[in-house]
Amino acid sequence: MNGIIASIFIMIHSNKNNMNNLGNEMYDLIIKLFPICRSITGEGVRETLKIIEEYIPIKITEVPTGTKILDWNVPKEWNIRDAYIKDDSGKKIVDFKKSNLHVLNYSAPIHKKIGLNELKEHLYTLPDYPDWTPYLTSYYSENWGFCMPHNLYEQLHEGEYEVLIDSTLEDGHLTYGELFIKGESEDEVLLSTYLCHPSLCNDNLSGISLLTFLAAILLKEDLRYSYRFLFIPETVGSITWLSLNEEKVSRIKHGLVATCVGDRGSLTYKKSRAGHAEIDRVVEYVLKESGTPYKVVDFFPSGSDERQFCSPGFNLHVGSLMRTMYGHFPEYHTSADNIDFVSPLHLGDSLKKYLEVIYILENNQFYLNLSPKGEPQLGRRGLYSQIGAKKEGDTHEITALLWVLNLSDGANSLLDIAIRSGLRFKQIKHAADILHNKNLLKKIS
């Protein structure tokens, strides 16, 4: 097979074991990252990026507290060493070292003894899921608090409690990782994920793992597009990157935000703000051709970092390809989003879909028929025998040739031809390769 990144096509369509093995390796990376307490700033982010750096050569950027970033400022850096609640017998009833979800993320430091009523003002639970601990934050409003299972909350008794949150909120940096892979073109594909959540696997260690392994694969390929991978704190990280890199934004032609890609649900695609951009059409085509259930939802101005990249001042063509959408599974932002909630099989399947999207983006070009007046004589050029037209089952390959010749008028991409013909993109691409090699087509973009 000729054409751009043909090796990726071979990987995703000819070797199922390879994708299963990658799913297991992605799962292992999630296990490695799971214990780290991350937030939008701090040592947890740096530790996570250092681990990613063992897999791919990311560049780590530090942006000082107070830096003006569009309408925002980089916040103070938060770090935490320990936290607990002790009852009046000295027993720890909540222990940060057992689960970093027990602390309201970005809690200010505190160490004092208080009564039950005051303590309850700083406790957060999930009454509908009494065995789970919620994940909550207080990024931009200084506060302190603890999260716990509701069953434990109901067991609290009157008395004095010692509360300790050994944290710091002080001037420091916002930290993010970036990898740029140069292709033939200066036009870029943006692939972004967020790394600010603590011990939550689907949201979003799965996204971190997927983009790490995707980048490792693309580093080995000859690429048409250039690829920019971002590992950033959610919201403030994308705003920071956009603020510091406005001169690069015009090069971004397509993009995806990777989140919630490890659960057992069907795939979901959230469209870009444009709604009909090439990335939207490619992803929807890949999902339709997969033969498995999927959902496509229109853009809405909340969610993850796609809303920053798609803000009207930038209006980038960035969607989000995930499995079950954030907020649509009960385990979302709770301790139940753990190692058992994600699956190596589904991680591998998500990676495969990203690779299929990239394969089409790389090869979705426009051609011009160089013999447009009437149908060119294919037999004289040896094309019928080349594609095995004598077999009844191969007649679709003749059909692909005819579709490509007829619609290659400079206005239809290969994806357009695949959609209109009802043939698979690989068949249309193969036909275009044959015709191009026979000087019947010319690439025009």
Side-chain angles (χ1 to χ4, degrees):
M1 174 183 291
N2 57 358
I4 300 171
I5 61 172
S7 60
I8 285 184
F9 180 87
I10 293 169
M11 175 195 300
I12 58 182
H13 290 282
S14 301
N15 193 340
K16 294 181 180 179
N17 287 335
N18 190 39
M19 297 309 301
N20 290 338
N21 290 338
L22 285 171
N24 288 324
E25 292 178 37
M26 293 165 67
Y27 187 76
D28 289 342
L29 176 56
I30 288 174
I31 292 173
K32 187 183 296 186
L33 295 173
F34 183 72
I36 301 171
C37 183
R38 284 165 291 270
S39 190
I40 56 174
T41 61
E43 290 302 323
V45 174
R46 295 187 186 95
E47 185 179 353
T48 299
L49 289 171
K50 287 295 183 184
I51 292 173
I52 296 171
E53 205 172 18
E54 297 172 8
Y55 294 78
I56 54 175
I58 57 173
K59 174 188 175 184
I60 297 175
T61 298
E62 300 264 23
V63 185
T65 297
T67 301
K68 179 71 173 173
I69 45 169
L70 302 180
D71 195 45
W72 297 52
N73 294 91
V74 172
K76 291 183 178 181
E77 181 175 324
W78 183 71
N79 287 292
I80 183 167
R81 288 168 290 274
D82 195 11
Y84 58 76
I85 302 173
K86 288 182 179 179
D87 63 18
D88 46 17
S89 71
K91 177 185 176 182
K92 286 185 181 179
I93 57 173
V94 169
D95 189 352
F96 167 81
K97 291 184 177 178
K98 291 184 177 179
S99 171
N100 53 47
L101 299 183
H102 278 314
V103 172
L104 179 70
N105 202 279
Y106 244 68
S107 280
I110 188 171
H111 188 195
K112 66 177 184 178
K113 293 185 176 182
I114 57 177
L116 179 61
N117 288 338
E118 183 179 356
L119 175 62
K120 284 185 173 181
E121 294 175 3
H122 296 273
L123 297 181
Y124 304 91
T125 69
L126 293 167
D128 290 340
Y129 298 95
D131 295 322
W132 298 354
T133 300
Y135 160 64
L136 295 168
T137 69
S138 184
Y139 293 147
Y140 305 108
S141 176
E142 190 167 312
N143 193 7
W144 65 270
F146 291 88
C147 301
M148 63 169 60
H150 193 72
N151 284 338
L152 179 59
Y153 175 88
E154 291 187 321
Q155 296 173 21
L156 297 176
H157 57 268
E158 291 292 339
E160 190 174 62
Y161 292 84
E162 180 187 357
V163 294
L164 168 75
I165 299 177
D166 184 10
S167 64
T168 55
L169 263 174
E170 51 195 22
D171 287 350
H173 296 84
L174 179 147
T175 311
Y176 67 85
E178 183 171 6
L179 173 63
F180 181 73
I181 304 176
K182 184 72 177 73
E184 294 176 5
S185 170
E186 289 190 355
D187 290 345
E188 296 183 13
V189 178
L190 176 68
L191 294 158
S192 181
T193 193
Y194 51 94
L195 42 57
C196 50
H197 290 17
S199 294
L200 300 173
C201 288
N202 199 40
D203 180 31
N204 187 37
L205 293 179
S206 66
I208 296 170
S209 184
L210 187 147
L211 288 198
T212 299
F213 279 84
L214 180 60
I217 292 169
L218 295 190
L219 280 166
K220 301 173 184 177
E221 300 293 335
D222 294 323
L223 300 164
R224 171 187 170 199
Y225 284 107
S226 296
Y227 287 78
R228 190 175 300 277
F229 288 79
L230 297 180
F231 299 85
I232 53 180
E234 195 171 22
T235 304
V236 70
S238 53
I239 288 171
T240 298
W241 188 88
L242 288 165
S243 178
L244 299 178
N245 295 276
E246 284 201 57
E247 77 285 356
K248 299 175 183 175
V249 168
S250 63
R251 303 177 201 161
I252 297 171
K253 305 304 178 186
H254 322 285
L256 290 172
V257 173
T259 176
C260 300
V261 292
D263 68 273
R264 293 165 174 81
S266 57
L267 283 151
T268 303
Y269 178 62
K270 176 183 175 182
K271 293 182 180 181
S272 72
R273 180 175 181 265
H276 56 272
E278 184 175 351
I279 186 65
D280 302 320
R281 299 177 69 241
V282 169
V283 175
E284 192 163 0
Y285 177 83
V286 166
L287 295 179
K288 182 179 179 181
E289 288 296 305
S290 72
T292 58
Y294 67 91
K295 296 178 183 177
V296 176
V297 299
D298 288 331
F299 175 82
F300 51 89
S302 59
S304 190
D305 287 316
E306 67 277 357
R307 73 186 194 269
Q308 311 305 334
F309 299 125
C310 292
S311 58
F314 295 108
N315 197 26
L316 298 177
H317 294 168
V318 176
S320 183
L321 179 55
M322 58 200 117
R323 302 198 76 87
T324 308
M325 180 179 284
Y326 39 73
H328 287 246
F329 50 95
E331 297 84 357
Y332 176 72
H333 280 197
T334 77
S335 56
D337 184 2
N338 55 29
I339 294 295
D340 295 329
F341 186 62
V342 294
S343 151
L345 178 66
H346 293 83
L347 287 165
D349 180 66
S350 296
L351 177 61
K352 179 181 177 182
K353 296 303 187 294
Y354 271 75
L355 288 168
E356 289 173 341
V357 168
I358 288 170
Y359 176 79
I360 294 179
L361 285 176
E362 286 284 308
N363 290 285
N364 188 32
Q365 296 180 287
F366 290 80
Y367 289 83
L368 190 66
N369 186 339
L370 297 179
S371 182
K373 294 181 178 179
E375 182 180 300
Q377 219 287 341
L378 301 181
R380 176 165 56 84
R381 294 172 172 86
L383 294 184
Y384 283 105
S385 60
Q386 180 175 341
I387 60 175
K390 294 181 180 179
K391 296 181 180 179
E392 184 177 348
D394 290 334
T395 56
H396 64 275
E397 297 188 3
I398 291 290
T399 303
L401 285 177
L402 297 178
W403 273 108
V404 172
L405 283 168
N406 191 274
L407 292 185
S408 290
D409 55 3
N412 294 292
S413 69
L414 295 186
L415 180 61
D416 295 325
I417 300 171
I419 292 172
R420 185 167 176 181
S421 68
L423 298 173
R424 289 187 174 273
F425 183 87
K426 68 176 182 177
Q427 295 167 335
I428 297 299
K429 172 66 173 64
H430 182 52
D433 288 342
I434 291 172
L435 293 168
H436 182 260
N437 290 339
K438 293 294 183 177
N439 297 316
L440 287 171
L441 292 183
K442 177 176 73 173
K443 292 180 183 180
I444 59 173
S445 68

